[in-house]
Amino acid sequence: MSTSSSSMPSVVYALLQDLEVDDGMRVLDVGTGTGETAGALTHRLGPRNVTTIEVDESVSARARERLRRLSLQPEVIVGDGFEGHRGRAPYDRVLATVALRQLPMAWVRQTRPGGLILAPWGTVYGNVDAVVRLTVEGDSATGPFTRPVEFMKFRAQRGSPLPHTDYLSAGPLQDADETTSSLTEEEFVTGRFTDLPFVLGLRLPRCRHAVADKREGARPVWFYSLADMSWACVLFHDGDRARVWQWGPRRLWDEAVRAYEWWRDRGSPGLHRFGLTVSSSGQRVWLDNPSAESWPLDVSPA
């Protein structure tokens, strides 16, 4: 299994543009990887102002040598990026090039008031994330999602492979409740980097979904509860109403339909209209602004 990867340069430099660094700013770069981001920041700000942290000692060593050969020598730290690096705090900017499901308070506490935290963030619902741009205000940070991305997840937050057969062993298909749905494939299966899957993840806690390939006009979409062994499957079929099977205490397809209707009733807002607030009491997601419609986000698997 891969433990580190090089992000697409256009994505990295879009992140650097969003970071809005200026002369004299101190930056913490979380997830050294190849050293590309740390190198670009060092070229812009100088080695004294850039700290980069990587959990994998061998990856960090290769990045350090690569940067040294280019005469770029930021502070290269081996450690858990989730904990930040207090030794050179406070930072004006924190940039992560690894995706999270829960943003650590350590970053908030190590960033000066008015400073920015920029990170890919997503839910367990799927693999697609969105960049969140948070402004630190006292003991919390808040800000909007800006664009869809897909990054390798923080190791501690990747989650285990879904045991599909375990779910069906707990609740066999013949024991599931079978119904139909008027929601169509075109409405619900909108594609990998579209807004809807990301929004559904905000509204469906502790649920993972999987979209299968379409064959002979039929496409199954599966939903798995991470809180218990509940599951659901909706089979979209060209020209027919979708067939639905649900098993367990949670009715996951019913939850998905309610989440879809919530989104549609608000004018199908794009992800840029949503935002995140991080504080010691947890994470809250909001629509349009933090003082408007908001709700806590449960990121625990159980």
Side-chain angles (χ1 to χ4, degrees), residues 137-152:
E137 303 167 352
D139 61 353
S140 67
T142 190
F145 297 108
T146 62
R147 67 187 74 191
V149 291
E150 189 170 339
F151 277 78
M152 186 172 285

Side-chain angles (χ1 to χ4, degrees), residues 275-286:
L276 181 71
T277 296
V278 179
S279 69
S280 57
S281 61
Q283 299 183 128
R284 292 190 70 86
V285 176
W286 41 266

Side-chain angles (χ1 to χ4, degrees), residues 82-289:
F82 198 78
E83 300 298 327
H85 182 64
R86 289 184 295 176
R88 301 188 83 185
Y91 301 99
D92 299 281
R93 301 288 188 267
V94 174
L95 172 64
T97 52
V98 60
L100 301 103
R101 306 199 190 284
Q102 184 172 16
L103 198 138
M105 280 301 295
W107 297 1
V108 178
R109 296 184 180 114
Q110 293 171 24
T111 303
R112 67 165 178 79
L116 297 179
I117 299 172
L118 199 71
W121 182 95
T123 66
V124 295
Y125 185 73
N127 291 326
V128 175
D129 311 306
V131 175
V132 66
R133 189 175 188 269
L134 304 175
T135 300
V136 173
E137 303 167 352
D139 61 353
S140 67
T142 190
F145 297 108
T146 62
R147 67 187 74 191
V149 291
E150 189 170 339
F151 277 78
M152 186 172 285
K153 305 298 184 290
F154 240 91
R155 293 189 188 188
Q157 298 184 22
R158 289 179 187 175
S160 304
L162 277 172
H164 176 81
T165 55
D166 290 356
Y167 280 87
L168 289 183
S169 295
L173 186 66
Q174 62 267 24
D175 294 340
D177 295 331
E178 183 177 354
T179 57
T180 61
S181 176
S182 60
L183 197 60
T184 67
E185 179 183 356
E186 290 74 19
E187 290 174 306
F188 194 81
V189 184
T190 56
R192 187 172 168 193
F193 286 103
T194 56
D195 293 324
L196 181 58
F198 182 79
V199 175
L200 290 176
L202 302 179
R203 300 294 298 180
L204 280 169
R206 295 170 294 165
C207 175
R208 192 175 300 177
H209 92 303
V211 179
D213 293 335
K214 191 168 186 174
R215 296 182 180 178
E216 299 180 353
R219 184 195 302 277
V221 179
W222 289 86
F223 302 83
Y224 308 91
S225 171
L226 303 185
D228 53 36
M229 297 303 291
S230 299
W231 61 264
C233 176
V234 54
L235 181 66
F236 295 107
H237 201 290
D238 294 346
D240 292 326
R241 287 173 66 93
R243 297 176 66 189
V244 179
W245 294 266
Q246 299 186 90
W247 186 90
R250 294 183 69 179
R251 288 300 187 251
L252 292 175
W253 176 245
D254 295 346
E255 291 185 30
V257 170
R258 287 194 294 271
Y260 174 85
E261 291 173 343
W262 177 92
W263 173 74
R264 183 194 60 196
D265 291 347
R266 283 151 183 78
S268 307
L271 67 83
H272 62 279
R273 286 183 55 191
F274 292 87
L276 181 71
T277 296
V278 179
S279 69
S280 57
S281 61
Q283 299 183 128
R284 292 190 70 86
V285 176
W286 41 266
L287 176 63
D288 291 329
N289 66 76

Side-chain angles (χ1 to χ4, degrees), residues 283-302:
Q283 299 183 128
R284 292 190 70 86
V285 176
W286 41 266
L287 176 63
D288 291 329
N289 66 76
S291 60
E293 189 170 12
S294 69
W295 58 96
L297 191 70
D298 186 352
V299 297
S300 64

